[in-house]
Amino acid sequence: MLDSRPVRESFLVFGAPMIDRTAIDEVVDSLESGWIGTGPKVTHFEEDLRDYIDVHRVSCLGSCTAALFLGLRALNVGPGDEVLVPAMTFVASANVVEHTGARPVLVDCEPGSGLMDLDAAEASITESTVAVMPVHLAGRPLDMDRLNALRDAYRLAVIEDAAHAIGAEWRGQRIGSFGNLTAFSFYVTKNITTIEGGALASPHDEIADRVERLALHGLSLGAWQRYSDPGFKHYDVEEPGFKFNMTDVQAALGLRQLEHLDAWIDYRAELWSLYDELLEELPLDLPPPSEQATRHARHLYQVRVRPEAPISRDELLDHLAERRIGAGVHYRGVHLQPFYARKYGIAPAALPVSTELSERTLSLPLSPKVSEEDVYDVVAALRSGLLR
Ligand SMILES: *Cc1c(COP(=O)(O)O)cnc(C)c1O
């Protein structure tokens, strides 16, 4: 039955967002209120995120990239410092370290999960290492006990890249609440979206205050506070900041997305099981099961094309595109990007697991917009490419 499915009429977008009527109404409410910049809805979204994650403070920003960068700035990471970053991540994680003037030290990953290999991370620590930026790749939480033990043993700062992992839990506790700075993304394809947007969770007011100040030119008072208080207020600038704030229109969308997050993760998990079941006999390595008592945020369903498959990963991507299936690649390792390869002289063989995964991995369509019928289309397309 699967093998006689016709090619789809419409292109299946890999991570299509779900925008419902309540979200549209909330955006319209913001537009009609006259306050469209950083204001009450941003504050409200920060409070809801704070309660959801169960952390002391959440600061909403223009992107996860901004959250990672400002987090590093607030930790005073700069020239001469080294920050451990997994090679298997989106290039933003390494780019922000570059922008502080510090050196991103790329670390290989575990063969099964693709998460940063914490043994390799420990072996990469030098006297210059000040921080580590682990990535909860695909929504699978890192071993937080081991990570925080490493942090405490070497007195490192940790800034978690949780772009994929809002809603993920390690041993019953939400990612973002482990005493580290944690950055989230609300980019279009992420588990919840504000179109562009991000947030930084912080256990300390001091860091959160500095991040929020740096996000708005370094002004001493947020725009919302300045305009909501009676009487005129001057601002003071103690250090030059950036323009990395979130707007109320974005936060309006976020408020109504967060309400659905848990149900969406459950739905993603259902599609996940369906893929697991239907792909069993194909020459693909499927995602390993989650650790006990963790909650995977099910952001990316990643498979790896086995060496014995009749076609390569790249040929399979072409084949899927011909069958109108949009797949993703997460990622070709940071060490393979020309800038990093050149600047740090990293040979592909120096990070062998990441290099191999970079050539074999692909991510299948997974979002609240993807239906079971869509999954059958994806599986049919994979079968026609891989069983020949
Ligand atoms: C999407 C993503 C980012 C960047 O998020 P933006 O909100 O687009 O800046 C950073 N790290 C990882 C792992 C990502 O997937």
Side-chain angles (χ1 to χ4, degrees):
M1 175 208 86
L2 273 172
D3 293 328
S4 57
R5 266 180 108 78
V7 174
R8 297 169 57 88
E9 283 181 14
S10 63
F11 192 82
L12 178 59
V13 177
F14 138 82
M18 175 79 96
I19 309 291
D20 69 2
R21 182 45 58 186
T22 62
I24 294 168
D25 289 345
E26 193 71 49
V27 169
V28 170
D29 179 70
S30 180
L31 291 169
E32 287 178 345
S33 76
W35 195 289
I36 57 176
T38 303
K41 286 196 204 281
V42 170
T43 303
H44 189 171
F45 188 37
E46 288 175 339
E47 288 165 357
D48 284 5
L49 286 166
R50 189 192 62 199
D51 293 345
Y52 181 82
I53 295 164
D54 194 16
V55 64
H56 183 61
R57 280 275 288 276
V58 171
S59 309
C60 282
L61 299 160
S63 67
C64 179
T65 307
L68 292 167
F69 176 68
L70 293 184
L72 291 171
R73 284 288 292 242
L75 293 167
N76 298 313
V77 173
D81 293 335
E82 292 179 357
V83 179
L84 305 179
V85 178
M88 284 308 275
T89 183
F90 183 51
V91 75
S93 322
N95 285 352
V96 292
V97 178
E98 273 303 310
H99 290 311
T100 64
R103 176 189 178 121
V105 174
L106 300 175
V107 176
D108 211 356
C109 63
E110 295 175 351
S113 64
L115 295 173
M116 183 167 70
D117 180 332
L118 292 177
D119 291 325
E122 185 166 11
S124 303
I125 295 172
T126 70
E127 293 205 330
S128 304
T129 310
V130 296
V132 50
M133 186 186 284
V135 178
H136 303 286
L137 187 72
R140 182 188 301 274
L142 243 88
D143 180 335
M144 293 306 300
D145 299 316
R146 273 209 68 198
L147 177 70
N148 280 356
L150 204 65
R151 171 195 73 187
D152 298 339
Y154 293 91
R155 297 174 179 277
L156 302 174
V158 173
I159 174 160
E160 299 170 43
D161 180 339
H164 300 172
I166 189 155
E169 294 170 11
W170 172 256
R171 305 225 160 121
Q173 192 180 329
R174 290 252 157 90
I175 290 303
S177 65
F178 283 85
N180 306 319
L181 298 186
T182 309
F184 296 94
S185 175
F186 310 128
Y187 176 66
V188 176
T189 57
K190 301 290 158 74
N191 276 13
I192 57 170
T193 185
T194 60
I195 308 174
E196 297 284 357
L200 189 71
S202 328
H204 308 298
D205 283 323
E206 200 186 315
I207 297 262
D209 288 344
R210 182 145 177 235
V211 163
E212 288 174 21
R213 211 166 46 232
L214 283 170
L216 211 59
H217 305 292
L219 307 190
S220 53
L221 295 161
W224 171 243
Q225 290 154 293
R226 269 189 291 128
Y227 293 105
S228 63
D229 292 345
F232 190 85
K233 293 242 171 46
H234 289 288
Y235 54 77
D236 295 313
V237 175
E238 303 288 354
E239 65 176 322
F242 302 86
K243 191 69 194 300
F244 289 164
N245 54 312
M246 180 183 277
T247 69
D248 262 26
V249 176
Q250 290 167 296
L253 200 50
L255 279 166
R256 300 292 157 244
Q257 291 260 305
L258 184 58
E259 292 172 340
H260 297 292
L261 176 59
D262 286 324
W264 285 344
I265 292 175
D266 291 345
Y267 179 69
R268 285 169 175 271
E270 283 173 31
L271 297 184
W272 193 284
S273 306
L274 192 57
Y275 273 134
D276 275 351
E277 192 185 310
L278 297 172
L279 298 177
E280 219 170 34
E281 58 184 291
L282 295 184
L284 296 171
D285 292 324
L286 305 184
S290 305
E291 293 269 331
Q292 253 193 326
T294 69
R295 185 190 194 206
H296 192 306
R298 312 283 175 185
H299 178 55
L300 298 173
Y301 188 89
Q302 297 183 291
V303 299
R304 292 157 189 176
V305 179
R306 289 203 196 124
E308 72 265 23
I311 59 175
S312 69
R313 189 273 313 272
D314 285 352
E315 288 164 337
L316 184 58
L317 287 169
D318 284 341
H319 177 79
L320 290 175
E322 279 163 25
R323 301 275 307 222
R324 303 212 176 99
I325 307 291
V329 173
H330 303 88
Y331 297 89
R332 283 160 59 236
V334 175
H335 64 301
L336 302 175
Q337 297 299 338
F339 172 83
Y340 290 96
R342 239 185 285 124
K343 179 162 180 184
Y344 297 110
I346 314 164
L351 298 167
V353 183
S354 301
T355 299
E356 198 207 323
L357 292 190
S358 297
E359 286 161 12
R360 291 176 45 203
T361 191
L362 76 154
S363 306
L364 303 181
L366 183 66
S367 93
K369 269 287 192 49
V370 170
S371 68
E372 283 193 16
E373 285 298 310
D374 293 331
V375 168
Y376 293 130
D377 287 338
V378 177
V379 173
L382 286 167
R383 289 176 67 88
S384 64
L386 290 169
L387 297 179
R388 40 173 95 174

